[in-house]
Amino acid sequence: MKDQLTKLKDQAVKEFKKSNVLDDLKKLQTKYLGRKGELTKVLRQVKDLAEAERPKIGQYANQIKGELEVLIKDIEYELKQKSGAQKEELIDVTLPGTKYQQGHLHPNTIVQRQLEEVFKNMGFMVLEGPELESEYYNFEALNIPPSHPARDIQDTFYIKNKPGLLMRAHTSNQQVRAIEKYGVPLRAVFPGRVFRNEATDASHETTFYQLEGLMIDKDISVTHLIASMKAMLKGILKKDVEVRLRPGYFPFVEPGFEVDVSCLICGGQGCSVCKQTGWVEMVGSGLVHPNVIKAGGLDSKEWSGFAFGLGLTRLVMLKYGIDDIRLLQSGDLRFLNQF
Ligand code: FA5
């Protein structure tokens, strides 16, 4: 019987070691050690043996049972380790990854930076200035005294209980500030946000961006002004556009011009952006008024200059074909994600 037990053990060990999955191992465990298993059957026969043999064989059979149980535990542990590791390795590299939302520059900023490059290449400084401004720099220093009708054309928001303070109506507020700070000769552009108290429509906002240009030197003429504006428009729109100059009134320049660009939204046919005229008013400009030169502490007989104020937001509209200015500050991602 001892030989029979040894054979049984060898056979069981061989089979246990071959099992690759837990299910097979369980089945083998039942086959050998279950209630009706092979080893159990042999153990049941022990009671029929001669009394002298019974303890020895019984002990041997129990020892085999113990060894097989330890072996099963070991194999079970290994199989579990393997299947756990396999699970960890189960990465489907073809699945779509997690998409992270990435921010990007606003179209106003893109165009502002491009404009800054154009002017830096022509030797202009880029300066920033305050949005909350004094009436002096926004109006008086620009030859617009209190009660001058030009204040109505550029009506803005005044600060409650703070007389003399307002949200700048244009980037021209920087003109005298820059002359005072940097002296002359001077070439500078001032990009930034400006504010107007007016009704909105497809081409008018209450908050929009401008880029001011100022050049003060000796013998500056309208030719310098036109050349700079052409370079600016070509630098951004990357093509020659039709431009129209008409007389314009701004108390801080003399003579003054409005520069219109042929509407690129409708190709000059007429739409809500150009108010059916085929032209979009883009820049106010002119030769710096002697009173502004004087406000900067300079001799207006010695120094002259040109200045212009570009509607940067309008240029963004023409560049990208945006047919309503209000989209730019709508915060609507369906719109913004196109840039
Ligand atoms: C001015 O703001 C003057 N400071 C420009 C200037 C500078 C003239 C230097 C002479 C010398 P105006 O109000 O026209 O001018 O505005 C200039 C440009 O800003 C306009 O041509 C237009 O393109 C844009 N603009 C004006 N109002 C609005 C508005 N409500 N919404 C969007 N863009 C506007």
Side-chain angles (χ1 to χ4, degrees):
M1 186 155 225
K2 194 174 176 194
D3 290 347
Q4 196 189 340
L5 278 168
T6 307
K7 246 185 180 170
L8 195 62
K9 176 194 155 186
D10 292 345
Q11 190 189 329
V13 169
K14 228 178 179 175
E15 286 191 41
F16 283 154
K17 285 189 173 168
K18 272 192 200 157
S19 51
N20 286 323
V21 285
L22 281 170
D23 266 3
D24 288 354
L25 188 68
K26 289 283 168 216
K27 277 180 201 152
L28 288 172
Q29 188 175 17
T30 313
K31 179 179 169 187
Y32 287 100
L33 303 176
R35 278 204 305 130
K36 292 178 187 164
E38 307 280 327
L39 188 67
T40 319
K41 269 191 233 162
V42 179
L43 278 168
R44 280 204 190 110
Q45 291 167 20
V46 172
K47 65 177 183 343
D48 304 327
L49 292 174
E51 207 169 319
E53 272 200 83
R54 249 185 259 162
K56 267 198 259 162
I57 297 293
Q59 206 180 0
Y60 185 55
N62 275 325
Q63 180 196 326
I64 289 176
K65 192 181 173 199
E67 283 173 12
L68 289 180
E69 278 169 350
V70 169
L71 180 67
I72 288 171
K73 285 271 168 244
D74 286 351
I75 297 175
E76 189 178 26
Y77 176 78
E78 270 173 34
L79 289 178
K80 277 185 180 162
Q81 288 284 97
K82 235 200 248 172
S83 74
Q86 269 171 358
K87 255 186 218 153
E88 271 172 30
E89 275 169 24
L90 271 181
I91 298 167
D92 184 350
V93 291
T94 64
L95 281 176
T98 314
K99 203 172 178 183
Y100 294 102
Q101 289 260 350
Q102 207 177 7
H104 57 83
L105 295 180
H106 189 280
N108 282 348
T109 313
I110 296 172
V111 172
Q112 181 180 321
R113 292 196 181 172
Q114 288 173 350
L115 283 168
E116 288 173 6
E117 275 313 301
V118 170
F119 281 102
K120 273 196 261 177
N121 289 338
M122 293 196 285
F124 284 65
M125 289 190 284
V126 179
L127 302 177
E128 288 194 340
E131 292 178 351
L132 179 61
E133 184 56 288
S134 66
E135 276 190 65
Y136 174 75
Y137 284 113
N138 195 81
F139 290 130
E140 274 129 66
L142 296 171
N143 200 29
I144 312 176
S147 77
H148 192 289
R151 291 205 180 195
D152 285 343
I153 310 167
Q154 294 183 342
D155 192 19
T156 181
F157 304 99
Y158 289 78
I159 309 303
K160 215 172 176 179
N161 303 327
K162 295 271 179 210
L165 275 188
L166 47 76
M167 300 307 290
R168 68 174 172 193
H170 49 182
T171 42
S172 304
N173 71 320
Q174 283 280 91
Q175 288 190 15
V176 172
R177 281 182 176 279
I179 298 172
E180 284 175 349
K181 187 161 181 189
Y182 295 98
V184 284
L186 178 72
R187 276 185 230 182
V189 287
F190 325 121
R193 201 157 59 144
V194 301
F195 308 85
R196 296 279 169 96
N197 177 18
E198 62 180 60
T200 62
D201 61 27
S203 56
H204 290 83
E205 255 292 10
T206 54
T207 304
F208 58 99
Y209 285 77
Q210 286 188 338
L211 180 130
E212 187 94 357
L214 177 68
M215 182 167 179
I216 307 276
D217 211 319
K218 296 196 170 157
D219 303 320
I220 295 294
S221 72
V222 174
T223 323
H224 295 105
L225 167 68
I226 294 176
S228 307
M229 284 192 298
K230 274 193 173 164
M232 165 177 84
L233 292 173
K234 195 160 185 192
I236 288 298
L237 299 172
K238 307 280 182 223
K239 53 182 164 189
D240 285 315
V241 283
E242 235 183 300
V243 172
R244 153 178 111 167
L245 223 72
R246 47 190 175 86
Y249 175 66
F250 302 96
F252 36 100
V253 287
E254 182 57 40
F257 309 98
E258 301 269 13
V259 183
D260 300 336
V261 174
S262 170
C263 182
L264 301 178
I265 308 283
C266 62
Q269 298 304 304
C271 66
S272 60
V273 172
C274 61
K275 299 212 170 63
Q276 314 306 329
T277 63
W279 295 94
V280 181
E281 182 196 306
M282 192 65 77
V283 189
S285 62
L287 295 186
V288 181
H289 195 285
N291 287 350
V292 178
I293 305 248
K294 280 183 209 156
L298 301 173
D299 181 349
S300 61
K301 290 204 173 63
E302 192 184 347
W303 298 97
S304 54
F306 72 73
F308 64 84
L310 162 77
L312 195 151
T313 314
R314 292 231 180 122
L315 189 61
V316 172
M317 293 173 74
L318 287 201
K319 182 175 167 72
Y320 293 112
I322 298 163
D323 62 7
D324 195 320
I325 195 170
R326 291 165 290 199
L327 286 167
L328 283 156
Q329 294 194 128
S330 62
D332 188 338
L333 287 178
R334 289 170 303 176
F335 168 75
L336 291 172
N337 280 339
Q338 297 174 62
F339 299 92

